[in-house]
Amino acid sequence: MGELRDLRVGHGFDTHRFSDDPSRELILGGVRFEDTPGLVGHSDGDAVAHCIIDALLGAAGLGDVGALFPDTENRWAGADSIGLLGDAVGCLATAGWRIVNVDCTVVAEVPRVAPRRDEMQVCLSAAVGAPVSVKGKRAEAMGALGRQEGLACWAVALIERR
């Protein structure tokens, strides 16, 4: 019989509205998307990175993105979310956890995720230190997401005790 492993699963979710500010860039999974409005947010608004942070912190029982990087603190204003993800990964390592993998789904009418999926996966996997998969889905013109008011992301993370 094999050795028992201490495994934990975390689930993350994030949603952001599209910004009316034409200077706001859209960043998802650390990748800049042209010709699509940026997302409203205290940091750079990278909803993919944010939901992955929540999944990782939740799996380790370390809170959530808002507790670690509160939007009430000016030091996080405009922050690079991939950097925040790296900080969260460091918190897990300090607490004795190793990330096994992360799976993320982005639901949006725009932008199309598939053409940039590989870039996002490379960037996110480097930040996490483990494989990260990204999938893009459409809302099929239903609800706020279907009306292109914003986008939503879900992530699931698997971690194990070192």
Side-chain angles (χ1 to χ4, degrees), residues 77-159:
D80 172 9
S81 294
I82 294 299
L84 300 180
L85 177 56
D87 291 349
V89 168
C91 290
L92 266 75
T94 298
W97 295 101
R98 182 184 79 79
I99 300 163
V100 176
N101 76 302
V102 178
D103 182 45
C104 184
T105 302
V106 181
V107 179
E109 295 296 313
V110 292
R112 307 284 294 174
V113 170
R116 309 294 300 279
R117 175 188 358 255
D118 290 346
E119 290 173 75
M120 294 169 68
Q121 290 178 158
V122 167
C123 182
L124 292 164
S125 296
V128 167
V132 176
S133 60
V134 176
K135 301 175 300 298
K137 301 292 181 185
R138 295 184 54 231
E140 302 299 333
M142 295 186 301
L145 299 178
R147 290 189 301 270
Q148 299 181 22
E149 294 176 22
L151 55 79
C153 303
W154 286 262
V156 177
L158 178 63
I159 64 173

Side-chain angles (χ1 to χ4, degrees), residues 3-18:
E3 154 189 348
L4 289 177
R5 296 167 57 188
D6 188 0
L7 298 171
R8 304 268 177 93
V9 174
H11 180 261
F13 170 76
D14 199 22
T15 185
H16 285 264
R17 289 181 296 112
F18 286 115

Side-chain angles (χ1 to χ4, degrees), residues 55-98:
L56 292 170
L57 293 175
L62 297 174
D64 61 29
V65 68
L68 194 58
F69 310 108
D71 64 6
T72 55
E73 292 188 22
N74 287 335
R75 67 180 169 152
W76 306 124
D80 172 9
S81 294
I82 294 299
L84 300 180
L85 177 56
D87 291 349
V89 168
C91 290
L92 266 75
T94 298
W97 295 101
R98 182 184 79 79

